[in-house]
C-alpha cells in the first residue's frame, strides 16, 4: 500500500474544527483509494482526536487586531520554528493550509522557497477577499498555493480573478450540520421546558475576546434577563397564575470553546447575576435549542444560520487597534458576520466596535424575540444563504482534490527568491 504524509496547518478553535472534519474525510478517501495516509498537524485537540499527530497546539494563540496579537508573537514564532525544522527533516508529500493568515503565509512561503517540490493546498482561505487592506496578502496567497479550495462563491471568484487555481467545494459546515439534533431533541437533552426561553451566549473563542467582549455580552444578558422576567411575571398576573418559578424563568446557555475560559465566565455569571449554564461538550445541542443567540462574529454564525436560530452578532477590538485600522490602514469591510458575507447583504444584525453596546444588543435581541415578522424574515434569508454554501459532501470533495494532488508530481514553477 502506498504511503503519503500530509501536513495540515491551522489555528484557533474554528480552524481546529475544520481541520478535524477534513481529516475524517481524508481518511475515508485514502481508504477508498488504497492509500496509507499519515497526517501531522499544527492544530488542536479535535484534529488530534481525528487521528492527526500534533506538532503543536495552536488553538489558544489566535488573535484579531494589532495590539491584541502582541502577547502571541513569541509563542507563534516558536511554533513556526519547530514546524520549519520538522519540514526540513521530514518533507511531507503535501501541505494543507487552513485560514490562519499570518502564520500560514509564513509556512507557505517557507515551503515555496525551501521545498518547492511539495504541493500546497489552501483550504478555506483567510478573508482577504473581504477586507484586503493592500493586494500584498492576496498576491502571497496566490503565489504559495498550487490549489485553493474555496468555501464561498465570492471567495472563489476573487482568487480566480487574481490568478489562483481555484475550486469551489462549498462550506464544510453543510456536512457537519447533517448530524445536528432537531430543536425538540436538543431542548429535551438539555432539560429545557417547551415554553421556556433559551438564549445562547457565545462571547469568546480567543483570549482577547474574553477581555473586550465578555463584559458587553453579559451586561446585555443581565438587561435582557430582567426584561424577560418582567414580561413573564406580568403575563402570570394577568392570567392569575402563580409567580414565576426558577423552572419557568429564561435560561442563558454558554458553550465553552476552551477550558481556560471557564473561570472568567463563571465569575462573570456570578457578577452579573445571570441564570446561566456553561456547557463544554454539548455545544451543538445548545445552539440548536436556542430561541436566540447573542454571539461574537465567527464560524458559529453559520452554524446558527444552518440551525435556523436568529442571532445578534457583535465584535470589538481595542480602541487603539480600531483607530489604527480606520485612520492609518483605511480598513473597511462591507460585513463581518459570515451569513451576511455569503449573500453580501445584511440578513442578521451585526454591531461592530462602538455600536456593540449592551443597549444596542438588547434592542436587536428584543426584535428577534418578539417581532414575528422580523424572525420570519431572518429564517427566510437563511434559506437563501444555504444555496450559496454548496451541497452535502463538501469535505469529501475537498479530500478528493487533496488526495489527487498528493498522488501527482508537482509541476515546475518559477520561484523568485527575495
Amino acid at each position: 500500500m502506498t504511503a503519503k504524509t500530509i501536513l495540515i496547518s491551522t489555528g484557533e478553535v474554528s480552524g481546529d474544527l475544520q481541520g478535524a472534519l477534513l481529516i475524517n474525510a481524508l481518511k475515508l478517501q485514502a481508504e477508498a483509494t488504497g492509500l496509507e495516509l499519515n497526517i501531522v498537524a499544527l492544530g488542536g485537540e479535535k484534529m488530534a482526536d481525528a487521528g492527526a499527530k500534533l506538532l503543536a497546539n495552536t488553538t489558544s494563540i489566535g488573535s484579531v487586531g494589532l495590539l491584541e496579537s502582541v502577547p502571541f508573537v513569541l509563542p507563534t514564532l516558536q511554533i513556526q520554528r519547530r514546524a520549519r525544522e520538522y519540514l526540513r527533516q521530514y518533507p511531507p508529500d503535501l501541505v494543507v493550509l487552513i485560514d490562519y493568515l499570518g502564520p500560514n503565509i509564513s509556512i507557505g512561503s517557507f515551503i515555496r522557497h525551501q521545498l518547492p517540490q511539495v504541493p500546497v493546498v489552501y483550504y478555506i482561505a483567510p478573508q482577504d477577499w473581504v477586507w484586503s487592506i493592500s493586494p500584498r496578502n492576496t498576491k502571497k496567497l496566490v503565489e504559495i498555493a498550487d490549489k485553493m479550495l474555496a468555501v464561498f462563491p465570492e471567495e472563489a471568484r476573487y482568487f480566480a480573478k487574481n490568478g489562483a487555481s481555484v475550486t469551489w467545494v462549498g462550506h464544510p459546515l453543510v456536512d457537519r450540520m447533517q448530524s445536528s439534533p432537531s430543536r425538540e431533541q436538543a431542548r429535551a437533552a438539555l432539560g429545557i421546558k417547551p415554553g421556556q426561553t433559551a438564549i445562547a451566549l457565545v462571547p469568546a473563542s480567543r483570549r482577547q475576546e474574553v477581555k473586550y467582549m465578555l463584559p458587553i455580552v453579559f451586561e446585555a444578558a443581565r438587561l435582557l434577563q430582567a426584561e424577560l422576567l418582567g414580561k413573564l411575571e406580568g403575563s402570570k398576573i394577568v392570567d392569575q397564575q402563580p409567580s414565576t418559578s426558577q423552572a419557568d424563568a429564561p435560561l442563558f446557555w454558554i458553550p465553552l470553546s476552551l477550558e481556560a475560559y471557564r473561570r472568567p465566565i463563571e465569575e462573570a455569571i456570578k457578577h452579573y447575576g445571570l441564570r446561566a449554564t456553561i456547557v463544554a461538550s454539548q455545544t451543538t445541542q445548545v445552539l440548536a435549542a436556542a430561541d436566540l443567540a447573542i454571539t461574537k462574529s465567527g464560524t458559529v454564525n453559520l452554524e446558527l444560520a444552518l440551525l435556523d436560530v436568529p442571532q445578534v452578532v457583535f465584535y470589538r477590538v481595542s480602541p487603539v487597534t480600531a483607530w489604527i485600522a480606520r485612520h492609518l490602514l483605511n480598513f473597511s469591510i462591507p460585513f463581518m458576520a459570515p451569513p451576511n458575507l455569503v449573500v453580501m447583504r445584511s440578513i442578521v444584525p451585526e454591531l461592530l466596535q462602538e455600536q456593540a453596546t449592551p443597549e444596542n444588543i438588547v434592542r436587536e435581541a428584543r426584535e428577534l424575540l418578539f417581532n414575528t415578522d422580523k424572525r420570519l424574515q431572518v429564517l427566510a434569508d437563511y434559506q437563501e444563504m444555504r444555496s450559496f454554501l454548496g451541497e452535502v459532501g463538501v469535505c469529501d470533495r475537498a479530500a478528493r482534490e487533496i488526495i489527487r494532488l498528493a498522488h501527482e508530481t508537482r509541476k515546475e514553477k518559477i520561484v523568485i527568491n527575495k
Side-chain angles (χ1 to χ4, degrees), residues 11-13 58-64 68-69 72 76 100 205-209 261:
E12 304 182 323
V13 173
T58 58
T59 56
S60 62
I61 59 173
S63 64
V64 171
E68 292 85 349
S69 65
F72 306 109
T76 299
Y100 210 36
S205 62
R206 304 180 179 101
R207 291 183 187 273
Q208 74 191 61
E209 294 167 348
Y261 305 152

Side-chain angles (χ1 to χ4, degrees), residues 237-294:
I237 291 171
V238 170
D239 296 335
Q240 296 184 336
Q241 296 179 15
S243 296
T244 301
S245 68
Q246 288 291 313
D248 294 326
L251 289 172
F252 293 99
W253 294 84
I254 307 171
L256 192 64
S257 58
L258 290 174
E259 189 60 35
Y261 305 152
R262 181 183 293 275
R263 185 172 177 180
I265 290 174
E266 286 177 340
E267 291 173 349
I269 289 172
K270 184 177 180 180
H271 176 76
Y272 288 93
L274 298 183
R275 296 194 69 252
T277 301
I278 299 173
V279 176
S281 60
Q282 295 175 290
T283 296
T284 303
Q285 285 92 333
V286 167
L287 300 182
D291 296 288
L292 171 75
I294 300 174

Side-chain angles (χ1 to χ4, degrees), residues 216-217 219-220 223 314 316 351-363:
I216 296 168
V217 71
E219 173 61 13
L223 295 172
F314 72 104
R316 268 199 181 191
L351 302 166
L352 307 181
Q353 210 55 25
E354 296 87 358
Q355 293 301 310
T357 65
E359 294 76 15
N360 285 345
I361 290 172
V362 170
R363 184 192 70 242

